[in-house]
Amino acid sequence: MNNLAILPIILPLLASVIVAFIPKKLNIVRKLSQIFTVVFLIIVGYIFWKVFANGPITLQGGGWDAPFGITFIADYLSILLVLTTYIIATAAVFYAPYSLSDKQEMFYFYTFFFLLISGISGAFLTGDLFNLFVFFEVLLMASYGLIVLGNGKVQLRESLKYVLINVFSSMLFVTTVAFIYSLVGTLNMAHIAERVEAVPAEQQGILTAVGILLFFVFAVKAAIFPLYYWLPNSYVVPNPVVSALFGALLTKVGIYSIFRVYTLIFVQDTGITHQLFIWLAMLTMIFGVIGALSTNNVKLIITYNIIPAIGFILMGIGLYSEEGLAGSTYYLIHDMIIKAALFLLIGALVVAAGTKDLSKMSGVIQRFPLLGWLFFIGSLVLAGIPPFSGFIGKLLLLQGSLGQGEVLLTIIALLSSLLILLSMMRIFVRGFWGEKMEGMTTNPRKVHALTIPAVFLIALSIFLGVCAEYVLPYVETISNYLLDRTEYISSVLKG
Amino acid sequence: MEIIMIILASILFATAVYNLLQKQFLRIIIGTALLSHGAHLFILTMGKLKRGAPPVLDEGVANYADPLPQALILTSIVISFGVTSLLLVLAYRAYKLNKTDNMEELRGAENE
């Protein structure tokens, strides 16, 4: 049954090849992609259940025992994230036909889409540091394809910058991998974790330096202060469905890597590394939220809101306690779902109002009440108003930070939540309320079709918050598992 | 030997960063290519340069070259080759549509 661990990577890869053969037959491709995604979601759900019932599933590539073969490991954290990825993919695949033009869909949208899912699942499931780099490249290649979809002037301009920053950070990643290899002589993450304990005391400083270098590689991907400057422009130019996939999934792969590496490998000098995370988390929250308040472009507001969320997740990793890690895990899942939902809703709003500029918008709720109220609930969820899911995550994080006496961090986190709410309420008050505007869409059915997939995500998000007592045990399992490294190491290196 | 290789890699890194900071598309792309060369050379050096038998485990073989860095570099070369060709196509299209190859002129306006 070990082969289950690789299914979330292989299946979308096969699907991407299949749909690449018939790019022009849109009706078939759409139906096929929708069926594939739903079936994959069910399979991943089964693997999820299996992992939580029987413990992590480990697959050694080619039958070579670790550390010689490449390891794939579906543990509690990674399979939960893979499941969330597939949930978002399902919403996106039903949204895409209404959001993209036929020409864009024919330009292999579904092929890139499945490749992206495959790369993201691979990055979550791999147990090898170099393999993580390879899967980063797989998902980045797919994202390069998606970001230029439509071939617009602005898109090409911004995608060039996006590709360049990612190429640079990938090369830094390779360099860091070389450093780690020279220090410990292995690239299997469990094996590295075992060997860093044996590194002599005079080399511990080098290890910490390499750890921070690796952090900066992941920080570029995750958009952490001061390396978030590339994010707003490149996430705002593509089609809403692509933005939703990017905003919900790509930065989260970076933060997942930080999760994995700084709970498993670099934990010997938390006074330097994890304290650095706390400071950067504060700055990330502040600057992200200032960005969100600075613009009138509705899509840019949501895009900027990705950044403080990353700050919240980083905060829990920096605290490195049971509550902090549980809060981060919960917040990570919550944020993936709600960001996807909000990007999809903003796409519908832009179609409904016919403009991205908030100052030209008003009274959209009078014609599209469902869209308006969904957006309202989404804003409350994002800001962390009880009883929604953002509240539970923030509560755990704040409990953790107060428990460790990080008062400044707590105050900044609370303040930035308030400002997030303000930035979202600006869209609601100015865009949805007020006089009914001129020039609203003549095609209300399209707006309704765009709203439905978001209903699914918002409902899930409400479930996460209202039924928190069913979700919390899972999250606590994960945080205990992350704090105790022996289970990961022994499940990879048992042979 | 390792020292010389590291100096060479650092020269490659330095020229790569210099080229990345230029304004012309082509220079930037050459910068990324040089950067990947520097990184690959660096991996090779980090696996310790040894003279000796190939990495075939046989009786009496004690001094063999480390095969893992070579495998890593091969993977990484293929990836950077693909990315470079994509960048060239992208830069060409961006040049055709925006009518400029100067990064300075591609900052973009507010609220597009």
Side-chain angles (χ1 to χ4, degrees):
Chain A
M1 290 312 276
N2 283 350
N3 285 336
L4 278 181
I6 206 167
L7 281 186
I9 308 170
I10 294 281
L11 291 176
L13 201 63
L14 285 176
S16 76
V17 176
I18 293 169
V19 295
F21 280 117
I22 40 168
K24 305 279 184 231
K25 298 195 176 84
L26 273 183
N27 278 329
I28 303 173
V29 172
R30 279 175 194 154
K31 284 279 163 318
L32 212 56
S33 307
Q34 286 164 1
I35 293 167
F36 277 147
T37 323
V38 172
V39 171
F40 297 167
L41 178 66
I42 294 166
I43 294 172
V44 171
Y46 170 72
I47 303 173
F48 175 81
W49 172 78
K50 195 100 185 153
V51 168
F52 271 87
N54 303 339
I57 303 174
T58 324
L59 173 72
Q60 312 289 2
W64 292 88
D65 277 338
F68 302 107
I70 290 172
T71 310
F72 289 95
I73 171 163
D75 65 354
Y76 306 115
L77 177 63
S78 54
I79 199 66
L80 180 62
L81 289 173
V82 170
L83 182 67
T84 320
T85 305
Y86 274 85
I87 290 170
I88 290 161
T90 311
V93 83
F94 283 98
Y95 187 90
Y98 303 102
S99 177
L100 294 158
S101 68
D102 283 2
K103 202 177 145 225
Q104 284 173 322
E105 279 183 280
M106 277 182 211
F107 259 104
Y108 300 99
F109 168 78
Y110 292 102
T111 306
F112 288 127
F113 167 78
F114 281 120
L115 279 177
L116 187 78
I117 302 298
S118 172
I120 291 167
S121 311
F124 287 147
L125 292 172
T126 185
D128 185 285
L129 207 55
F130 192 78
N131 203 229
L132 181 65
F133 160 73
V134 173
F135 276 114
F136 263 162
E137 290 304 312
V138 172
L139 72 91
L140 285 174
M141 274 294 188
S143 77
Y144 302 154
L146 286 175
I147 201 172
V148 291
L149 205 72
N151 232 339
K153 207 167 157 180
V154 188
Q155 263 176 315
L156 279 167
R157 192 184 73 209
E158 293 305 329
S159 61
L160 199 62
K161 299 172 192 168
Y162 173 76
V163 176
L164 277 173
I165 190 85
N166 277 308
V167 168
F168 186 73
S169 73
S170 296
M171 280 305 135
L172 266 187
F173 194 178
V174 174
T175 317
T176 321
V177 165
F179 271 126
I180 291 175
Y181 185 68
S182 76
L183 269 175
V184 291
T186 179
L187 289 174
N188 186 300
M189 287 203 249
H191 204 208
I192 298 175
E194 206 179 46
R195 284 205 181 168
V196 283
E197 283 166 14
V199 169
E202 70 267 17
Q203 284 196 3
Q204 289 286 350
I206 304 177
L207 206 60
T208 310
V210 173
I212 290 176
L213 191 60
L214 195 60
F215 170 73
F216 274 94
V217 172
F218 295 141
V220 174
K221 316 265 180 199
I224 289 164
F225 176 86
L227 303 161
Y228 67 83
Y229 50 84
W230 57 270
L231 180 128
N233 278 335
S234 30
Y235 278 24
V236 90
V237 289
N239 192 280
V241 63
V242 177
S243 296
L245 287 171
F246 281 17
L249 303 175
L250 288 196
T251 49
K252 306 305 182 289
V253 178
I255 201 89
Y256 162 80
S257 312
I258 295 176
F259 242 112
R260 181 57 86 212
V261 169
Y262 294 92
T263 55
L264 186 66
I265 300 172
F266 298 105
V267 287
Q268 64 296 85
D269 205 351
T270 49
I272 296 178
T273 48
H274 290 63
Q275 196 62 38
L276 176 79
F277 295 172
I278 289 181
W279 284 102
L280 287 179
M282 287 188 219
L283 291 167
T284 311
M285 286 179 211
I286 297 170
F287 280 87
V289 103
I290 290 174
L293 288 170
S294 71
T295 173
N296 264 334
N297 181 338
V298 281
K299 210 173 160 195
L300 201 55
I301 294 177
I302 305 290
T303 312
Y304 265 116
N305 266 316
I306 296 172
I307 298 165
I310 295 289
F312 275 105
I313 300 162
L314 187 66
M315 167 180 163
I317 305 173
L319 294 170
Y320 194 56
S321 64
E322 196 189 323
E323 273 155 342
L325 288 176
S328 279
T329 314
Y330 193 92
Y331 203 85
L332 183 58
I333 305 300
H334 140 80
D335 193 60
M336 283 167 87
I337 292 172
I338 194 64
K339 278 290 140 56
L342 283 173
F343 268 111
L344 297 184
L345 285 175
I346 282 291
L349 172 65
V350 172
V351 170
T355 171
K356 280 182 196 165
D357 193 348
L358 194 54
S359 56
K360 289 179 192 147
M361 238 181 243
S362 70
V364 179
I365 201 166
Q366 292 179 25
R367 209 155 138 216
F368 301 103
L370 179 64
L371 177 65
W373 290 117
L374 277 178
F375 187 82
F376 182 69
I377 295 172
S379 311
L380 296 186
V381 172
L382 186 70
I385 305 292
F388 298 118
S389 58
F391 173 71
I392 315 281
K394 277 176 186 161
L395 185 69
L396 283 169
L397 285 170
L398 294 177
Q399 272 176 349
S401 74
L402 272 182
Q404 290 180 26
E406 299 278 356
V407 181
L408 183 63
L409 178 66
T410 316
I411 293 171
I412 288 179
L414 283 172
L415 195 69
S416 66
S417 311
L418 206 64
L419 293 177
I420 290 172
L421 184 65
L422 178 65
S423 72
M424 297 303 290
M425 280 304 126
R426 269 177 71 216
I427 302 183
F428 189 71
V429 170
R430 289 217 216 148
F432 285 101
W433 276 357
E435 297 273 313
K436 205 166 163 182
M437 67 182 284
E438 297 287 312
M440 254 196 268
T441 179
T442 48
N443 188 1
R445 294 184 79 183
K446 187 177 173 188
V447 178
H448 289 306
L450 290 173
T451 316
I452 303 301
V455 175
F456 166 63
L457 289 177
I458 293 271
L460 195 66
S461 197
I462 293 173
F463 168 79
L464 273 182
V466 176
C467 306
E469 55 181 321
Y470 303 110
V471 187
L472 277 179
Y474 289 96
V475 177
E476 273 158 13
T477 314
I478 291 172
S479 88
N480 285 321
Y481 167 79
L482 286 175
L483 282 173
D484 179 25
R485 304 187 295 155
T486 45
E487 196 182 344
Y488 184 93
I489 295 173
S490 65
S491 61
V492 175
L493 298 172
K494 61 191 158 204
Chain B
M1 190 63 185
E2 269 93 351
I3 296 289
I4 302 170
M5 288 287 268
I6 297 245
I7 292 172
L8 184 59
S10 60
I11 291 172
L12 278 171
F13 271 119
T15 44
V17 171
Y18 176 77
N19 273 303
L20 277 175
L21 295 175
Q22 300 297 304
K23 286 168 192 163
Q24 256 180 315
F25 284 169
L26 264 182
R27 279 174 193 263
I28 294 171
I29 294 167
I30 289 170
T32 61
L34 285 174
L35 189 70
S36 67
H37 291 327
H40 297 155
L41 209 57
F42 195 69
I43 301 180
L44 196 67
T45 320
M46 282 295 150
K48 291 202 184 68
L49 303 166
K50 277 180 207 152
R51 270 184 226 179
V56 181
L57 279 183
D58 206 356
E59 276 187 42
V61 177
N63 194 20
Y64 57 89
D66 190 348
L68 192 73
Q70 302 175 17
L72 299 186
I73 293 170
L74 200 62
T75 317
S76 184
I77 285 175
V78 174
I79 290 172
S80 66
F81 173 72
V83 173
T84 309
S85 51
L86 178 99
L87 257 176
L88 283 168
V89 174
L90 207 59
Y92 179 66
R93 288 291 305 171
Y95 164 73
K96 279 204 119 180
L97 274 177
N98 288 296
K99 303 272 188 301
T100 174
D101 73 335
N102 190 335
M103 270 294 188
E104 200 70 11
E105 291 165 25
L106 291 176
R107 282 173 186 274
E110 288 291 307
N111 280 327
E112 274 166 315

